[in-house]
Amino acid sequence: AKAGVMDPGSDIIEYERPGVVRVYKSGRVERFDGTDTNTVPPCPSGDPAYGVASKDVVLDASANISARLYIPAAEPGKKLPVVVYFHGGGFLVQTPASPFYHAYTASLAAAAPAVVVSVNYRLAPEDRLPAAYDDAFAALKAVVASCRPDGVEPWLAAHGDASRVVLAGDSAGGNIAHNTAIRLRKERIEGYGDGVSGVALLHSYFWGTEQVGGEPTDAAYRGEFERLWDVACGSQFGPDHPYINPATSPGEWSQLGCGRVLVTTAELCWFVDRARAYAEGIKACGWDGEVEFHETKGEEHVYFLFKSGCDNAVKELAVVADFVGRC
């Protein structure tokens, strides 16, 4: 195309989720949800609304890994469990600074109490999977290194207990937490080992071509979730790849790198049948840890982010906080 003349093919929409994201064939991406303009700042000196302090940090400059850290009021020298949290958003939108993610992770830090590290991983389609998985693993390595007395991040060095690390996330972030624990068992972290204390999977985005439980069989409905996956990974991994459908690789699944798993879901969540199947299937595949399962009646996918003050959300946060406290 000549200078100043738009290529007629560049504005063809390749993928759209109305009100969330629009991806053009040219590679241009428009985000309408979870954008950099709709964010909240951290509160390094302490936020009375949540009873925690928060700050944005670079965990690993060489890998360009940043995160928002949350720390509750802690006694000097007291060690706390560390939650490495991955936000949802279909791998395409949101950041740790999105208002409802900031509110949720701050609330979790206070409720557990724990140091929460909310990871700012790369988003698709500019950075297709496995970019987010690579960032998640690099973040975990940086976090456990920082929990040492000479760690580069002072909050983690002073209060992070590397022997009590929980990987957690909601929706796509739950998928990332699961895959990070799988990779940890395969690769190990030098000086740390091949397992964290726990993994908390909140309304996780898993899928597959075969219907599970009471999932709709409608091709258009199922196609939506497959198409999202396709965009996120650039068609590199099929809809039954273990990244998105752990049940297709039970041998790998049985090597999940943690001692206990919490699975939460909601009755009206798109992925409720997958969550039930995960909780049942991980035992059947030969994994030898403890599984906890929590399902909320009458609620939809990640309702606890948008209705954080409702009784069910308060109860679900308490379940997650209790799990972290016991890890």
Side-chain angles (χ1 to χ4, degrees):
K2 294 176 184 173
V5 177
M6 179 73 84
D7 173 0
S10 67
D11 252 21
I12 296 172
I13 296 171
E14 184 182 340
Y15 174 80
E16 182 169 19
R17 196 164 183 97
V20 178
V21 67
R22 186 182 294 145
V23 180
Y24 294 89
K25 281 196 179 296
S26 64
R28 184 163 65 94
V29 180
E30 290 180 317
R31 291 181 171 87
F32 311 106
D33 189 19
T35 62
D36 290 339
T37 55
N38 182 25
T39 58
V40 291
C43 299
S45 58
D47 185 342
Y50 304 105
V52 299
S54 56
K55 64 178 175 178
D56 292 334
V57 301
V58 176
L59 290 171
D60 181 340
S62 63
N64 199 25
I65 304 297
S66 61
R68 180 163 289 186
L69 254 62
Y70 300 84
I71 189 165
E75 301 155 29
K78 181 177 171 61
K79 293 288 190 176
L80 297 169
V82 179
V83 178
V84 182
Y85 194 88
F86 308 107
H87 66 78
F91 304 102
L92 304 178
V93 296
Q94 304 301 343
T95 74
S98 299
F100 49 79
Y101 278 113
H102 177 77
Y104 182 78
T105 42
S107 299
L108 178 58
V115 182
V116 175
V117 183
S118 187
V119 178
N120 194 21
Y121 58 85
R122 284 172 291 170
L123 299 175
E126 297 94 334
D127 294 289
R128 313 231 186 217
L129 292 172
Y133 297 146
D134 291 340
D135 288 356
F137 196 67
L140 175 60
K141 286 199 283 190
V143 165
V144 298
S146 262
C147 287
R148 300 180 185 128
D150 60 347
V152 295
E153 173 37 56
W155 287 5
L156 286 167
H159 298 291
D161 185 349
S163 69
R164 301 171 69 200
V165 174
V166 176
L167 298 171
D170 67 283
S171 197
N175 176 300
I176 293 171
H178 161 86
N179 282 298
T180 303
I182 292 283
R183 182 166 174 178
L184 179 60
R185 182 56 58 86
K186 287 179 181 175
E187 294 188 22
R188 302 179 62 90
I189 294 175
E190 193 176 344
Y192 179 70
D194 65 354
V196 291
S197 296
V199 174
L201 305 175
L202 318 178
H203 302 217
S204 297
Y205 171 32
F206 295 118
W207 203 245
T209 51
E210 296 294 317
Q211 176 200 21
V212 169
E215 283 177 354
T217 54
D218 177 67
Y221 177 90
R222 301 191 69 78
E224 276 190 43
F225 299 110
E226 288 186 26
R227 182 74 184 113
L228 172 59
W229 175 248
D230 216 30
V231 172
C233 72
S235 306
Q236 292 181 85
F237 312 111
D240 285 313
H241 189 282
Y243 280 155
I244 188 69
N245 189 358
T248 59
S249 183
E252 185 174 275
W253 195 10
S254 69
Q255 297 301 305
L256 192 72
C258 66
R260 47 167 60 112
V261 169
L262 169 67
V263 177
T264 79
T265 188
E267 183 183 15
L268 307 177
C269 176
W270 301 312
F271 312 121
V272 62
D273 293 287
R274 299 276 159 178
R276 293 168 181 159
Y278 189 107
E280 293 167 14
I282 191 166
K283 280 294 190 187
C285 77
W287 180 73
D288 60 359
E290 295 173 30
V291 185
E292 294 175 44
F293 182 75
H294 177 80
E295 182 175 327
T296 303
K297 301 298 177 193
E299 299 287 4
E300 297 183 333
H301 183 61
V302 297
Y303 74 94
F304 54 84
L305 293 175
F306 314 112
K307 303 195 299 187
S308 58
C310 76
D311 288 348
N312 283 337
V314 171
K315 185 177 178 183
E316 183 156 341
L317 178 68
V319 167
V320 179
D322 178 64
F323 175 78
V324 170
R326 288 183 289 107
C327 278

